[in-house]
Amino acid sequence: MHPIIREAYDAEIFRREGHLLVDLLADYLRDVVDTDQWQALAWQSPEAAFDFWNGMWQQSDGNLQQLFKETLARSIHLHHPHYMGHQINPPAPAAFLSSLLVDALNNGMGVFEMGMAGTAIERVVIKTTANAMGLGENADGFLTSGGTLANLTALLAARSAKAPEAVWEEGAQSRLALLVSEESHYCIDRAARIMGWGDAGVIKVPADEQYAMRTELLEEYYQKAVDAGFTVIAVVGSACATSTGSFDNLEAIGAFCRQRDLWFHVDGAHGGALAFSDAYRHLLNGIATADSVVMDFHKMLLAPAITTALIFSNGNNGYHTFHQRAQYLWADAEQVEWYNLAKRTFECTKQMMSLKVFAVMYSHGLELWDAYVSQMCDLGKTMAELIEAKPGFELAVAPQCNIVCFRYVPEGAAPESLNVLNQAIRQQIIGKGDFYIVQTMLRGKAYLRITLANPFTRENDLVALLDEVESQAGRL
Ligand SMILES: Cc1ncc(COP(=O)(O)O)c(C=O)c1O
């Protein structure tokens, strides 16, 4: 063996570097909650970041610990109490420790023998989640690489169930369509376009003042589509809408789907996690009647990205999505085999992501998810109260979970100046790096948007954020 290969796999070097990395991360976990010692992010322009990393490569001395330290310092810090940005949680140590094992094993997961532990664990995770959602005994599914891919896979299954030969066998000739709220995540629109349905195949149902689908319009929009020659095959409920965290009325959508024999899909990428919260589960009422549900474990259940469940209430529906032969993987393409995952997943090789979720359940029990999800949603309500009590601030909508949209409206400001003002405030905040928040446009108005996914964020951090917004506005 070439000495360089021997060195690359040296067990003692790994042991030494591994211990140092665990120490680095343990120190980080201990200290990152101190908002004076760490920042949410140390902003760098894309060009400056590239120059730095290219310089690291050009002058590489192979010092792995230096590389890890620089990566830590130059990344956004999800465990920092002032990280309140996009919907992705700070992973629990049990989960990211598992990542090391997962990557070391590198089991491919496509067929059973390429992931014996991972495949069986995946089934436990899926059954536990289906149970929390009340999806019934026949529910089954799998983990896949992200909400975007999971939603596409679910809609492919819907197409296969409701329009069996269309597109897959005949090519894109049929005029298929789905109904979804105008507030849905863009990946639903993208999925329909990928399936060749075009712009017209995604029928957007208007949302109400709470940004939830106006389900009383479903029949009207359905009829219009049918009259225009479309075959509507599915309705997608958002649980919740990405921008505002508003939950569609899943009971009403489910009832409509049953009446019209349509596939009912729930995009619960973010809010599906509320199934584990005793206090907030009611927002998902009706989810048990869905044909398929998507839920991200990396948004609200403390797993690292990307770890997504796609569950079918009738598990067999997952097998018809991709009926393809792969002689080198399995003998019979048609046979239902829960343990040969690539029959149902978009991916061929897939990460052994189940362990990252299972490690959290296994070491802390489902109580952790209940406590965490409930705490984060409670904090959303606390933020809303603070905003309402503070002059010069305006809520977009009363938050239902941990997503809060608000804006700064100083007395006497011209309404037409508010979008520019709020966008500029966010830019200033990011540049400074003490907080990380995002923004969204709602019906033409720019809002500051936060997702409270960090259990170390406290009320005083929220107060400090509002003060920071005010102070940055003053500077502008
Ligand atoms: C409702 C909803 N669906 C889908 C997605 C996409 O999920 P992912 O980022 O895991 O692809 C998101 C992400 O924000 C979301 O909020």
Side-chain angles (χ1 to χ4, degrees):
M1 187 186 285
H2 193 291
I4 199 165
I5 299 176
R6 201 187 309 280
E7 187 190 315
Y9 285 90
D10 187 286
E12 294 314 315
I13 296 177
F14 165 72
R15 191 189 309 280
R16 195 178 61 237
E17 298 289 356
H19 281 296
L20 288 170
L21 175 59
V22 169
D23 284 342
L24 180 70
L25 285 174
D27 289 349
Y28 166 73
L29 270 184
R30 185 194 57 208
D31 297 339
V32 73
V33 291
D34 178 351
T35 52
D36 290 333
Q37 202 174 328
W38 282 85
Q39 280 195 301
L41 81 162
W43 168 255
Q44 264 202 312
S45 71
E47 290 73 23
F50 176 74
D51 285 348
F52 175 82
W53 288 107
N54 199 33
M56 281 283 283
W57 168 234
Q58 301 300 336
Q59 291 142 37
S60 164
D61 60 2
N63 182 337
L64 212 45
Q65 293 307 314
Q66 193 54 28
L67 173 61
F68 293 156
K69 279 184 192 148
E70 292 292 0
T71 307
L72 194 56
R74 293 165 185 277
S75 297
I76 190 157
H77 301 121
L78 274 61
H79 295 83
H80 190 283
H82 292 180
Y83 174 90
M84 306 174 191
H86 290 289
Q87 299 147 274
I88 180 160
N89 55 218
F96 62 77
L97 269 178
S98 308
S99 302
L100 182 61
L101 182 57
V102 164
D103 286 350
L105 289 171
N106 211 20
N107 282 198
M109 299 292 292
V111 288
F112 181 61
E113 61 266 27
M114 282 304 294
M116 292 178 295
T119 302
I121 290 172
E122 186 161 320
R123 198 160 201 231
V124 177
V125 168
I126 290 292
K127 293 279 180 195
T128 305
T129 308
N131 189 39
M133 292 175 174
L135 286 168
E137 284 293 299
N138 295 329
D140 201 1
F142 46 82
L143 297 178
T144 189
S145 306
T148 300
L149 187 68
N151 278 311
L152 171 61
T153 311
L155 293 171
L156 287 168
R159 186 181 72 181
S160 176
K162 296 291 180 192
E165 298 309 317
V167 190
W168 190 263
E169 302 295 344
E170 297 162 12
Q173 293 155 357
S174 328
R175 299 188 75 199
L176 302 181
L178 58 81
L179 294 163
V180 66
S181 159
E182 61 175 342
E183 291 297 327
S184 63
H185 190 266
Y186 73 83
C187 70
I188 302 297
D189 186 280
R190 182 181 282 190
R193 289 169 196 270
I194 290 170
M195 292 191 290
W197 301 1
D199 189 41
V202 192
I203 299 163
K204 300 268 171 73
V205 181
D208 60 20
E209 63 289 349
Q210 300 299 312
Y211 297 90
M213 181 197 276
R214 290 184 58 193
T215 50
E216 77 279 10
L217 297 179
L218 276 171
E219 179 61 29
E220 179 190 330
Y221 276 68
Y222 172 82
Q223 279 306 339
K224 266 200 267 178
V226 171
D227 293 348
F230 286 93
T231 304
V232 178
I233 64 161
V235 184
V236 178
S238 303
C240 46
T242 304
S243 282
T244 56
S246 308
F247 285 73
D248 284 349
N249 181 340
L250 302 182
E251 278 176 331
I253 299 174
F256 179 75
C257 287
R258 276 195 303 284
Q259 190 191 326
R260 286 281 170 204
D261 191 25
L262 303 175
W263 184 279
F264 175 23
H265 174 63
V266 175
D267 178 4
H270 183 91
L274 274 59
F276 290 101
S277 158
D278 285 344
Y280 288 89
R281 184 177 301 121
H282 64 93
L283 291 172
L284 295 173
N285 283 351
I287 199 169
T289 64
D291 292 294
S292 54
V293 177
V294 159
M295 189 194 73
D296 280 348
F297 287 93
H298 56 267
K299 285 188 168 50
M300 285 279 280
L301 293 171
L302 303 175
I306 45 181
T307 313
T308 301
L310 167 54
I311 308 178
F312 298 95
S313 56
N314 174 358
N316 285 345
N317 278 326
Y319 290 86
H320 307 307
T321 320
F322 314 105
H323 35 97
Q324 274 176 321
R325 275 180 244 300
Q327 303 296 7
Y328 55 92
L329 290 177
W330 45 71
D332 183 355
E334 303 301 325
Q335 204 176 326
V336 168
E337 296 166 334
W338 66 265
Y339 44 85
N340 282 326
L341 284 165
K343 282 191 166 185
R344 292 179 285 160
T345 60
F346 204 106
E347 302 98 324
C348 179
T349 304
K350 184 183 84 168
Q351 210 191 42
M352 185 182 155
M353 48 187 84
S354 56
L355 185 70
K356 304 179 193 187
V357 177
F358 191 60
V360 177
M361 290 164 47
Y362 185 79
S363 52
H364 305 290
L366 300 184
E367 295 78 10
L368 175 66
W369 284 340
D370 183 7
Y372 165 76
V373 171
S374 303
Q375 181 180 318
M376 292 300 97
C377 294
D378 286 348
L379 202 59
K381 297 206 168 4
T382 303
M383 181 57 166
E385 282 161 19
L386 292 171
I387 291 165
E388 284 186 319
K390 196 164 167 79
F393 284 82
E394 185 181 278
L395 264 182
V397 60
Q400 287 185 289
C401 59
N402 59 336
I403 298 175
V404 187
C405 298
F406 63 99
R407 59 190 206 147
Y408 185 56
V409 281
E411 211 185 316
E416 62 278 10
S417 69
L418 291 174
N419 282 2
V420 174
L421 174 64
N422 279 277
Q423 284 161 341
I425 290 171
R426 185 186 104 91
Q427 225 43 59
Q428 297 271 111
I429 287 177
I430 295 190
K432 195 170 160 216
D434 289 338
F435 289 86
Y436 183 66
I437 61 170
V438 296
Q439 65 187 38
T440 192
M441 281 301 260
L442 297 171
R443 295 178 182 155
K445 290 181 177 177
Y447 284 90
L448 303 170
R449 176 175 173 273
I450 58 171
T451 302
L452 298 164
N454 188 328
F456 299 103
T457 303
R458 300 261 180 273
E459 183 170 341
N460 62 321
D461 298 304
L462 303 177
V463 171
L465 171 62
L466 295 180
D467 290 345
E468 178 72 2
V469 168
E470 209 167 35
S471 135
Q472 290 303 334
R475 252 163 250 218
L476 287 161

